[in-house]
């Protein structure tokens, strides 16, 4: 029997029958049509599928959908509804901190989670927190510039 | 905003190949060879077909009935009839309702394979450099030999001879998005949407593999999540189309990361010997010998050996040169292009050797390069005249950076310099269509934006320059190979050059056409007023809307077709003794400086600073150009320090995943100083040279030279892992 699943995604309650072995990544992308969360290595090495669970960056490829329980999930599609997420998005756009854009949802979600978890975090803390997100295009240079701006104290 | 795609990409709102979907689409999985070399005795797919959810399973036996009559027997069919040449080679394919069901079913295939001898490494074919006559082998894909001047005599007259043997590793492009496509067959039309760098290239390959006329194959690019050369061929499209034909339903096919590592066709290992005959500070002669692993590449597909080998001779004045190389056939997967194919590896050998010459003689490595480096008008070993080349000016900039770093960095820091050069240019041509509507200018092309910005920024910037319209009024309109004009592909640092020139050509024609409709003599430009495109001539302004003919109003605007097919260079035929060598087009220099610290106990190399000086010709869009240099350097740092495919004696890849094949993380790439030298013009718009590939080329050489500077120990093998550095330091 396929057990029923209840998720809270971007503030909306979703429910349906989902196999117990299904990964959150696949539930989000193919059942809920939230394809902003990108499928990369499916083994926890690239960070492209990062979402926030209970405000913290988590790899949706290594998370079973049934593990999430009541915890709220925030994906890249919900980022604009969050003030920190909005600031991260705006900074990435302003700095063009992307090229092909495939790793970008993972980066902006992870950075949003880091900034929420550690308000006023230093640049070093943020860069350390992004080690699990790989980018093959930018050489991380423009991403660093975005991180620098986001770690500057607000005037 | 720097890039018009930034907002959508940051929000994850664009459709990449992996995001493609269609109602009722099935999921395909390839059934791949478990051995690197063998003869297929039997392929039994009955148990695959009876698995739950399976709609169809196909192998070589089914090709004839799926393809138009007599077409199944192409020279290189999708599935091999008998001989398996590398591990992971597709033998059959299955389509099922879900990916999980397709995977489950694929594992049930019954294969009977007679094992054949496996040639896993170059040394299995040639234990050492082959002597006279020993190079005649069925395991050679290509043999190239070229000579300039009296090489024997140069070595006889030399005061000193410096020799080195270098090894380089296999690497993979590893774009974050794996290959993915969605195929359907509508009557006679074989249609595929794909994450491709070259829709027309994918069409040509698909047509050749399936034996279907090119006009019946339609390829449409999706957004592409990185390419780096790996998405330029028709890799998945033929299989997806065959499954779609068999299932009579759309089929999605996507590689897993493990498959990506095995199938994506990248750089394989090499062994390089360089020896130089010296008199004072002149290089009298140089011999270069190259054994390049080309895997199970098909004969005649070697594009690398006779091309890349020239980069080992370097951009230097050398009295006499001999270049000889073999493309060695092994049972690894086929070799393929990877951002400046094989050039970083060649330049690692060449520039390590250049430093070894300078250090042995006590010369400053930078001054030695200044004295011997090419200037415009010098001659290459193959007799080509060097065109405008920014090497000397870039070296001057490097000197200033080096002096500053010496003051700022602690003692013990190693500083390394390397010079790369590359042939960019516009000889692989293409065409675009410009469509001017009352409110916008659309650049119609088959090409997708793969990330570099060459399409979304480069082509738009050229259209801005030629028409006068602001970027906000210009848009890329992507189309497919059935409707769109031909273009070679987004690769080889040629997009801005060739396709940009085509945009320039189309823009000029567009303005000429409008000028015919507005009386007067002065120059015509376009601008936007209140959201409407307006033509300006002699101070008078006329809306584009009012200039359209009735038929243009119906079809959507004024059309102008632009084309550019550039010329290639020429080499002296008498210099070539055997095999194919290729001419360079725009001579493009890259001069890099690396500052490293080396842990004297572990051999760990840390890159503290990096500077890249680029010979840009003319920079069309500064932020995009800088971003290309930064990204190229980071990719090169991976090739220098960590990236290496590991193969066992059965030619099985041992590390097909990002946990064991390490690409640089954000903390491993230092801030990169980028400087640009302009004025040494190339063939692109306004003199632009290609910018995507040159910045990756000097990186491994610069890092190796910095490690030697820090420690006095020379590592002659890529990548410079802690183990190799520790061995060079005699810690192991």
């Amino acid at each position: 029997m396929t057990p029923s699943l209840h998720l809270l995604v971007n503030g909306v309650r979703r429910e349906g029958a989902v196999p117990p072995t299904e990964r959150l990544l696949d539930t989000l992308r193919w059942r809920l049509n939230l394809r902003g969360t990108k499928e990369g290595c499916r083994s926890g090495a690239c960070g492209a599928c990062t979402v926030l669970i209970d405000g913290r960056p988590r790899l949706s490829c290594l998370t079973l959908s049934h593990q999430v329980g009541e915890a709220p999930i925030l994906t890249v599609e919900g980022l604009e509804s969050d003030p920190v997420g909005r600031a991260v998005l705006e900074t990435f756009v302003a700095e063009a901190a992307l090229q092909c854009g495939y790793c970008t949802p993972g980066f902006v979600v992870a950075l949003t989670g880091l900034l929420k978890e550690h308000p006023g975090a230093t640049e070093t803390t943020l860069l350390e927190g992004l080690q699990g997100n790989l980018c093959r295009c930018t050489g991380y240079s423009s991403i660093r510039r975005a991180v620098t701006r986001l770690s500057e104290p607000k005037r | 905003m720097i890039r018009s795609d930034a907002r959508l990409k940051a929000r994850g709102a664009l459709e990449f190949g992996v995001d493609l979907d269609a109602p009722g689409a099935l999921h395909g999985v390839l059934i791949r060879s478990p051995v690197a070399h063998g003869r297929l005795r039997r392929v039994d797919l009955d148990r695959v077909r009876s698995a739950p959810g399976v709609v169809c399973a196909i192998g070589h036996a089914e090709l004839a009935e799926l393809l138009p009559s007599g077409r199944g027997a192409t020279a290189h069919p999708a599935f091999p009839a008998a001989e398996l040449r590398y591990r992971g080679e597709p033998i059959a394919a299955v389509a099922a309702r879900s990916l999980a069901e397709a995977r489950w079913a694929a594992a049930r295939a019954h294969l009977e394979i007679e094992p054949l001898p496996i040639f896993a490494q170059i040394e299995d074919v040639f234990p050492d450099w082959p002597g006279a006559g020993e190079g005649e082998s069925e395991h050679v894909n290509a043999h190239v030999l070229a000579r300039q001047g009296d090489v024997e005599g140069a070595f006889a007259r030399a005061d000193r001879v410096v020799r080195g043997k270098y090894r380089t590793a296999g690497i993979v492009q590893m774009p974050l998005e794996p290959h993915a496509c969605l195929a359907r067959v509508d009557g006679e039309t074989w249609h595929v949407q794909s994450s491709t760098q070259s829709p027309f290239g994918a069409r040509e390959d698909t047509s050749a593999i399936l034996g279907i006329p090119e006009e019946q194959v339609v390829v449409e690019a999706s957004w592409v999540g990185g390419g780096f050369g790996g998405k330029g061929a028709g890799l998945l499209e033929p299989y997806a189309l065959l499954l779609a034909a068999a299932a009579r339903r759309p089929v999605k096919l996507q590689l897993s990361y493990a498959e990506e590592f095995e199938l994506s066709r990248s750089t394989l290992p090499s062994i390089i010997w360089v020896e130089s005959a010296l008199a004072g500070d002149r290089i009298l002669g140089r011999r270069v010998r190259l054994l390049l692993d080309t895997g199970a590449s098909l004969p005649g597909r070697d594009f690398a050996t006779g091309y890349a080998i020239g980069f080992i001779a370097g951009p230097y004045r050398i009295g006499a040169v001999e270049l000889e190389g073999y493309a060695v056939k092994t049972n690894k997967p086929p070799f393929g292009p990877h951002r400046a194919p094989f050039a970083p590896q060649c330049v690692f050998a060449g520039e390590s050797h250049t430093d070894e010459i300078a250090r042995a003689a006590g010369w400053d490595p930078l001054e030695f390069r200044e004295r011997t480096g090419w200037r415009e008008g010098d001659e290459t070993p193959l007799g080509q005249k060097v065109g405008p080349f920014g090497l000397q000016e870039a070296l001057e900039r490097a000197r200033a950076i080096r002096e500053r770093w010496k003051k700022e960095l602690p003692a013990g820091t190693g500083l390394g310099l390397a010079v790369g050069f590359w042939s960019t240019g516009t000889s692989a041509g293409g065409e675009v269509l410009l469509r001017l509507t009352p409110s916008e200018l659309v650049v119609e092309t088959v090409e997708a934006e793969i990330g570099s910005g060459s399409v979304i920024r480069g082509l738009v910037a050229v259209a801005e320059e030629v028409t006068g319209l602001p970027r906000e009024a210009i848009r890329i309109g992507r189309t497919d190979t059935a409707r769109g004009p031909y273009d070679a592909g987004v690769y080889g640092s040629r997009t801005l050059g060739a396709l940009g020139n085509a945009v320039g050509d189309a823009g000029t024609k567009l303005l000429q056409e409008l000028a015919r409709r507005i009386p007067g003599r002065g120059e015509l430009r376009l601008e936007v007023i209140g959201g409407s495109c307006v033509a300006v001539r002699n101070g008078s302004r006329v809306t584009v809307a009012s200039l359209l003919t009735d038929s243009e109003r119906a079809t959507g605007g004024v059309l102008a077709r632009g084309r550019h097919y550039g010329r290639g260079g020429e080499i002296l035929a008498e210099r070539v003794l055997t095999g194919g060598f290729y001419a360079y087009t725009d001579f493009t220099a890259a001069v890099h400086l690396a500052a490293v610290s080396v842990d004297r106990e572990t051999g760990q190399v840390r890159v503290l600073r990096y500077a890249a000086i680029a010979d840009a010709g003319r920079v069309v869009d500064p932020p995009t150009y800088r971003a290309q240099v930064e990204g190229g350097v980071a990719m090169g740092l991976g090739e220098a320090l960590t990236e290496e495919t590991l193969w066992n004696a059965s030619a099985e890849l041992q590390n097909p995943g990002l946990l064991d094949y390490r690409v640089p993380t954000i903390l491993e790439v230092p801030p990169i100083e980028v400087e640009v030298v302009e004025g040494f013009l190339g063939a692109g718009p306004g003199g632009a040279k290609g910018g995507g590939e040159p910045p990756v080329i000097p990186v491994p050489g610069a890092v190796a030279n910095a490690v030697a500077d820090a420690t006095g120990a020379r590592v002659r093998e890529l990548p410079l892992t802690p183990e190799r550095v520790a061995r060079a330091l005699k810690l192991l």
Side-chain angles (χ1 to χ4, degrees), chain B residues 367-539:
Chain B
E367 282 171 20
F368 178 54
R369 287 173 171 88
E370 283 174 340
R371 284 200 299 276
T372 52
W374 281 342
R375 289 163 167 81
E376 183 173 352
D378 279 345
E379 196 189 270
T380 72
L382 294 166
Q384 209 184 337
K385 285 273 176 276
V386 174
F389 192 47
L391 174 62
Q392 295 294 339
E393 192 167 328
L395 282 168
E396 217 175 291
R397 304 273 196 101
R399 181 188 286 272
I401 295 169
R402 189 179 67 170
E403 296 319 307
R404 171 161 56 82
W405 283 6
K406 276 183 180 167
K407 288 191 203 107
E408 293 169 356
L409 289 164
T413 305
L415 296 186
L417 171 77
V419 165
F421 81 101
W422 188 241
S423 161
T424 64
T426 64
S427 53
E431 302 171 22
V432 292
L433 200 61
L434 289 186
R435 178 187 298 274
L436 179 66
T437 76
S439 60
E440 65 174 355
L441 178 69
V442 184
V443 181
E444 292 190 9
T445 171
V446 295
E447 304 299 2
E449 172 54 57
I450 69 168
S452 64
S454 61
V455 171
I456 201 105
R457 266 312 295 147
L459 300 187
V460 170
V462 175
E464 282 175 64
E465 287 181 355
V466 68
T467 64
L469 285 169
R471 64 172 74 177
E472 293 76 18
I474 305 170
R475 165 170 81 78
I476 300 293
R478 194 161 67 228
T479 179
D480 63 31
T481 57
R483 291 173 292 172
Y486 172 80
D487 185 57
V490 180
Y491 65 77
S493 305
R494 51 78 60 190
T495 315
L496 174 67
L499 210 47
N501 280 342
V503 169
D505 179 41
T508 305
K509 288 174 183 163
L510 182 72
L511 296 189
Q512 283 166 357
E513 175 55 34
L514 295 176
R516 269 194 281 277
R517 303 179 191 186
I518 302 175
R521 285 182 161 275
E523 189 197 19
L524 186 144
R525 303 287 285 168
L526 293 169
E527 58 184 46
V528 173
I529 300 174
S532 297
C533 292
V534 173
V536 187
R537 196 176 199 192
N538 302 328

Side-chain angles (χ1 to χ4, degrees), chain B residues 26 47-57 94-97 101-102 104-106:
Chain B
L26 303 173
R47 274 168 45 81
V48 178
R49 294 191 179 102
S50 64
V54 168
V55 175
C56 66
V94 54
R97 287 174 317 200
E101 286 169 318
W104 166 259

Side-chain angles (χ1 to χ4, degrees), chain A residues 29-30 33 35-46 48 76-77 79-80 89-90 92-96 98-105 107-108 124 127-128 130-131 133-145 147, chain B residues 1-3 5-7 9-12 14-16 18-21 172-178 224-226 228 252 254 257 338 450-452 626-628 630-632 634-635 643 658-659 661 663-667 669-672:
Chain A
R29 282 175 57 80
W30 300 109
N33 277 323
R35 275 172 231 163
T37 301
K38 293 303 173 203
E39 174 176 353
C41 66
R42 294 181 75 88
S43 59
C46 77
V76 69
E77 288 89 351
L79 228 46
E80 283 198 345
L89 284 174
E90 286 310 314
F92 264 62
V93 171
E95 290 290 343
L98 51 83
Q99 287 187 28
C100 83
Y102 198 76
C103 68
T104 315
F107 268 96
V108 293
T124 309
L127 292 177
E128 281 171 1
L130 290 174
Q131 283 180 92
N133 289 80
L134 299 179
C135 171
R136 209 54 175 145
C137 296
T138 63
Y140 306 103
S141 302
S142 50
I143 297 173
R144 263 174 189 270
R145 291 191 279 271
V147 168
Chain B
M1 184 160 55
I2 297 170
R3 291 179 65 125
D5 56 352
R7 195 169 297 280
K9 283 181 170 174
R11 287 167 46 227
L14 294 180
E15 191 171 62
F16 291 89
V18 301
D19 302 323
L20 295 170
D21 193 19
V172 288
Q173 301 93 351
M174 221 42 243
L176 266 285
E177 183 209 24
V224 178
F228 314 114
K252 171 89 177 278
Q254 176 179 328
Y257 264 36
H338 178 150
I450 69 168
S452 64
R626 176 168 78 159
Q628 276 303 285
E630 292 166 342
M635 190 160 258
E643 294 185 37
L658 288 176
L659 292 173
Y661 178 97
V663 306
T665 66
I666 198 164
L667 288 182
V669 181
I672 298 158

